[in-house]
Amino acid sequence: MEPNWEEFYANQPKPMDLETSKKLLKDFVENCADKDTRIALVTSGGTTVPLEHNTVRFVDNFSAGTRGSISTEFFLEQGYAVIFIHRTKSLEPFSRHFIGQKFLDMLEFDEGKGKLMVSEKYSESVAHVLMKYKSALKQGKLLQLSFTTLSDYLWLLRSASQALAPLEKRVILYLAAAVADFYVPSNQMSVHKIGSDVGPPKIALQLVPKILKPLVNLWVPKAFVVSFKLETDENLLITKSRAALKNYNHKLVIGNMLQNRKQQVTIVEKNRDYTISLTPEQMDQGEEIEKYIISDLVKRHSEFLTATETS
Ligand code: 9Z3
């Protein structure tokens, strides 16, 4: 039997900071009241599935938040306001450019003047990214909220969707987070660290309810919803993506393969599909596929807005 989403919310405790997040969401959405503002809700990174309440161990996945953080920058570039919901410590827009760099090597301190500066070598690149970041914040165009567990993610997703619902068709949901399919329900989880003294533990994972169903049908029925489908077997990508479209009745599925997700994606609609890819030369030049994905989606969102203007 398919797991029930209402039961999930009835049994999984809310994140402690949900009320604070709801207030931030409310204020952010009010700021986007202007009829011309379009908003993207971008989800990013993987969810954890804790095995214990006092969590020592958890199940996790590979997602680094690359897709979501880059896409957020391109949505902002296209004039969208963005709510970026990401896994704690996964990549974030703008700051991602400096991950892997030695932070302290980028700085210099002038003891005489008591002044801290960015080294000459880095100042142009830092200034370039910093200006974009500060401008997004100043214009009230970027809100970042974070989650760690599957349960936190699903609570936050619901609150964000509900906050955005009044903006109707102006909203695009871009669900790039790698969400766990299996979890241990709160009432079945060990309170303390699972010991090894009684032999190998038997951990029964249960199916996570398909949240796209209430999301598309109840929470944001007018929004332009785009989900992602991740596969490792190429033969399944299109059929599974199309099955998701049929099941949830949203606008688009972006299919991607774990192995080449930075180079190629397939946009799947009910009656057609097409590929967006980077050439090896574009890859070498450091181009990012998200630029082309977002530009395509923005076009599609515009067409959708025009086509439904009177409804
Ligand atoms: C994706 O497919 C994303 O593109 C990636 C991005 C997770 C591959 P990274 O963060 O990776 O850049 O490292 N996201 C959705 C994955 C997912 O869990 N989809 C569900 C499924 O495939 C449907 S919502 O069943």
Side-chain angles (χ1 to χ4, degrees):
M1 208 179 68
E2 239 183 63
N4 177 302
W5 64 269
E6 281 161 308
E7 241 167 62
F8 181 95
Y9 285 102
N11 295 325
Q12 291 298 114
K14 293 178 188 176
M16 305 261 271
D17 58 353
L18 190 70
E19 291 313 312
T20 312
S21 302
K22 277 187 179 173
K23 171 85 176 74
L24 291 168
L25 285 162
K26 185 171 171 278
D27 293 348
F28 188 82
V29 168
E30 273 170 17
N31 223 356
C32 298
D34 177 355
K35 286 266 171 287
D36 292 328
T37 307
R38 295 193 201 173
I39 305 200
L41 172 69
V42 176
T43 70
S44 184
T47 59
T48 67
V49 170
L51 301 183
E52 302 126 342
H53 279 286
N54 291 286
T55 310
V56 175
R57 305 187 188 94
F58 50 84
V59 179
D60 201 353
N61 67 53
F62 71 95
S63 171
T66 314
R67 177 83 81 220
S69 59
I70 304 180
S71 301
T72 294
E73 290 179 20
F74 285 114
F75 270 124
L76 288 166
E77 215 155 86
Q78 297 264 6
Y80 280 63
V82 183
I83 298 173
F84 178 68
I85 295 189
H86 70 287
R87 161 77 177 276
T88 312
K89 295 190 193 144
S90 67
L91 293 179
E92 295 177 36
F94 306 111
S95 69
R96 73 178 177 97
H97 295 275
F98 306 107
I99 299 292
Q101 312 242 25
K102 287 206 171 87
F103 174 64
L104 295 179
D105 288 351
M106 296 170 72
L107 303 178
E108 268 164 31
F109 186 59
D110 183 330
E111 281 187 54
K113 293 186 187 146
K115 235 177 154 186
L116 185 67
M117 290 165 301
V118 176
S119 316
E120 183 82 44
K121 187 175 156 200
Y122 296 104
S123 65
E124 202 182 315
S125 59
V126 173
H128 180 71
V129 173
L130 186 70
M131 268 167 27
K132 288 193 196 174
Y133 174 59
K134 294 279 179 187
S135 154
L137 289 186
K138 198 167 153 214
Q139 294 177 61
K141 289 221 158 165
L142 177 63
L143 173 66
Q144 301 200 174
L145 299 171
S146 64
F147 61 84
T148 302
T149 67
L150 164 79
S151 180
D152 291 355
Y153 168 78
L154 290 181
W155 273 104
L156 196 51
L157 179 64
R158 182 164 87 162
S159 295
S161 307
Q162 287 169 339
L164 285 167
L167 304 185
E168 301 186 340
K169 296 176 292 189
R170 286 192 277 141
V171 179
I172 180 163
L173 269 74
Y174 183 82
L175 305 172
V179 184
D181 283 323
F182 320 106
Y183 76 120
V184 185
S186 179
N187 59 5
Q188 292 171 30
M189 216 191 278
S190 164
V191 174
H192 292 291
K193 183 185 166 202
I194 300 170
S196 58
D197 42 344
V198 287
K202 289 197 177 63
I203 296 162
L205 295 170
Q206 295 203 5
L207 283 177
V208 173
K210 301 290 183 197
I211 293 300
L212 266 177
K213 213 161 226 171
L215 182 132
V216 174
N217 294 305
L218 301 173
W219 305 338
V220 278
K222 303 228 160 134
F224 194 85
V225 179
V226 179
S227 73
F228 277 80
K229 174 61 76 185
L230 173 72
E231 289 300 333
T232 55
D233 178 351
E234 186 140 34
N235 296 320
L236 299 177
L237 190 64
I238 307 288
T239 36
K240 286 227 174 172
S241 299
R242 199 152 273 133
L245 267 185
K246 197 164 166 240
N247 253 340
Y248 310 120
N249 210 20
H250 54 307
K251 298 294 179 297
L252 293 174
V253 174
I254 303 184
N256 55 176
M257 298 287 297
L258 180 69
Q259 301 87 330
N260 69 353
R261 66 189 188 278
K262 295 187 181 181
Q263 197 172 357
Q264 182 170 313
V265 301
T266 306
I267 311 283
V268 182
E269 292 176 279
K270 281 205 183 80
N271 304 316
R272 63 166 178 159
D273 51 77
Y274 53 94
T275 296
I276 296 178
S277 53
L278 292 180
T279 62
E281 292 72 37
Q282 286 175 310
M283 294 284 286
D284 289 344
Q285 285 156 9
E287 282 222 59
E288 294 164 322
I289 194 168
E290 286 77 9
K291 174 176 165 187
Y292 300 97
I293 301 176
I294 301 308
S295 121
D296 189 67
L297 284 187
V298 168
K299 233 187 297 155
R300 311 299 308 276
H301 191 199
S302 299
E303 286 164 9
F304 165 74
L305 284 167
T306 315
T308 55
E309 224 152 46
T310 47
S311 61

